[in-house]
Amino acid sequence: MKNPVRDLPLAMFLGIFFVMLFYVMAAVSYSATLGYGVVRVSETVALTLAIRVLNQAYFIIPILICCSTFGATNGNFYASGSVIASAGFSGDLPLVFSMVHKTSRTPIVALFVELALSMIFISFKFQVLLNYAAFISWVIYLVSFCALLKLKLTSKNQPKLKIFRMPIIFIFPMILVCIFTVVMCFYLKPIGCGVFAAIIIVIFGFQFIPDELTSIGIFTNLHHKLVGTLIARCNLVPATSDDVS
């Protein structure tokens, strides 16, 4: 990006605007074509619309939805893998999580971690999984906006940190929206969201444990052996700054 001060906020706001516009247009088309009564009771509104409008060619809509879902999932898969690898590189997670393929530089270990978590969550019912995913996502959004607010308030005398300016008037409403969504997720699924909240707190709490308490001999030796095995047999190497930047 040649001019992040100009291009980054422009890309963000235009992208958000057009996504919102397309969603609103889709919702209007559903209601205008099917009527509110059908939209309210239908579990697959897009498919119902396709059957009514496209007749025998209705299968095109599910195919397009699958392509869209696959693209979004693929992007999230690699983005999340990069986050895990970056955490391993920076020391927030053990070094083994930052291991990448020697040639392709793909974060193999991080992707396998995501695969394992996906295999666990695939046993959940869709609506339950959707609620949990929304809870985790909005918790992350809440933390991100709080961090942005902190940077906004503490970096006034550090112009190098200001890649672009975010008006503070936009931050507070988003924090309120995040809090409302997280509370609603708790209201709908208090036990499940409580478990996920506890997991997040425990993982976050590990960041404050002194290094001398985490450097237990047996675990350190096992970690070193695992890293050595991955390097010797799986063609993996620890990530560099270029891999996680």
Side-chain angles (χ1 to χ4, degrees):
M1 189 174 293
K2 295 182 179 180
N3 189 357
V5 176
R6 181 200 65 186
D7 297 339
L8 186 58
L10 186 64
M12 290 174 56
F13 288 116
L14 286 180
I16 294 173
F17 171 76
F18 281 111
V19 169
M20 292 175 59
L21 179 63
F22 292 150
Y23 270 95
V24 171
M25 292 174 62
V28 171
S29 67
Y30 295 154
S31 299
T33 306
L34 301 175
Y36 175 74
V38 177
V39 172
R40 185 171 60 87
V41 299
S42 176
E43 295 183 356
T44 54
V45 181
L47 182 59
T48 304
L49 177 68
I51 294 174
R52 177 171 297 188
V53 175
L54 301 178
N55 296 324
Q56 298 299 323
Y58 72 91
F59 62 88
I60 295 176
I61 297 299
I63 292 176
L64 293 177
I65 293 175
C66 289
C67 292
S68 175
T69 303
F70 177 79
T73 303
N74 187 59
N76 289 332
F77 188 66
Y78 280 100
S80 301
S82 298
V83 171
I84 296 174
S86 179
F89 174 78
S90 62
D92 295 322
L93 289 175
L95 178 65
V96 67
F97 288 97
S98 72
M99 303 289 285
V100 299
H101 192 269
K102 189 175 182 180
T103 304
S104 65
R105 315 306 295 182
T106 303
I108 300 295
V109 175
L111 296 182
F112 270 102
V113 171
E114 286 193 276
L115 177 61
L117 293 175
S118 300
M119 296 302 294
I120 295 174
F121 292 137
I122 201 172
S123 61
F124 287 69
K125 293 183 179 180
F126 177 75
Q127 290 297 332
V128 176
L129 184 61
L130 184 64
N131 189 77
Y132 293 161
F135 170 74
I136 295 175
S137 298
W138 283 98
V139 167
I140 294 174
Y141 298 153
L142 176 61
V143 173
S144 300
F145 279 109
C146 289
L148 180 60
L149 179 62
K150 181 179 183 298
L151 288 175
K152 182 73 175 178
L153 298 177
T154 59
S155 62
K156 294 181 179 180
N157 299 324
Q158 303 180 40
K160 292 183 179 181
L161 295 178
K162 294 183 179 180
I163 298 177
F164 66 94
R165 294 180 180 273
M166 171 64 70
I168 199 170
I169 193 174
F170 293 122
I171 300 177
F172 282 111
M174 289 307 304
I175 291 178
L176 294 177
V177 170
C178 293
I179 293 175
F180 172 78
T181 308
V182 170
V183 171
M184 288 304 299
C185 289
F186 258 109
Y187 175 76
L188 294 175
K189 297 290 181 180
I191 298 178
C193 291
V195 171
F196 277 98
I199 294 174
I200 293 174
I201 293 173
V202 170
I203 294 175
F204 183 73
F206 275 116
Q207 310 303 317
F208 301 96
I209 299 178
D211 292 337
E212 56 270 16
L213 296 180
T214 58
S215 301
I216 302 176
I218 184 172
F219 294 112
T220 302
N221 293 334
L222 288 175
H223 179 255
H224 289 165
K225 289 181 180 179
L226 178 59
V227 171
T229 301
L230 292 176
I231 293 175
R233 299 186 178 182
C234 301
N235 203 26
L236 300 181
V237 294
T240 64
S241 57
D242 293 333
D243 298 316
V244 298
S245 60

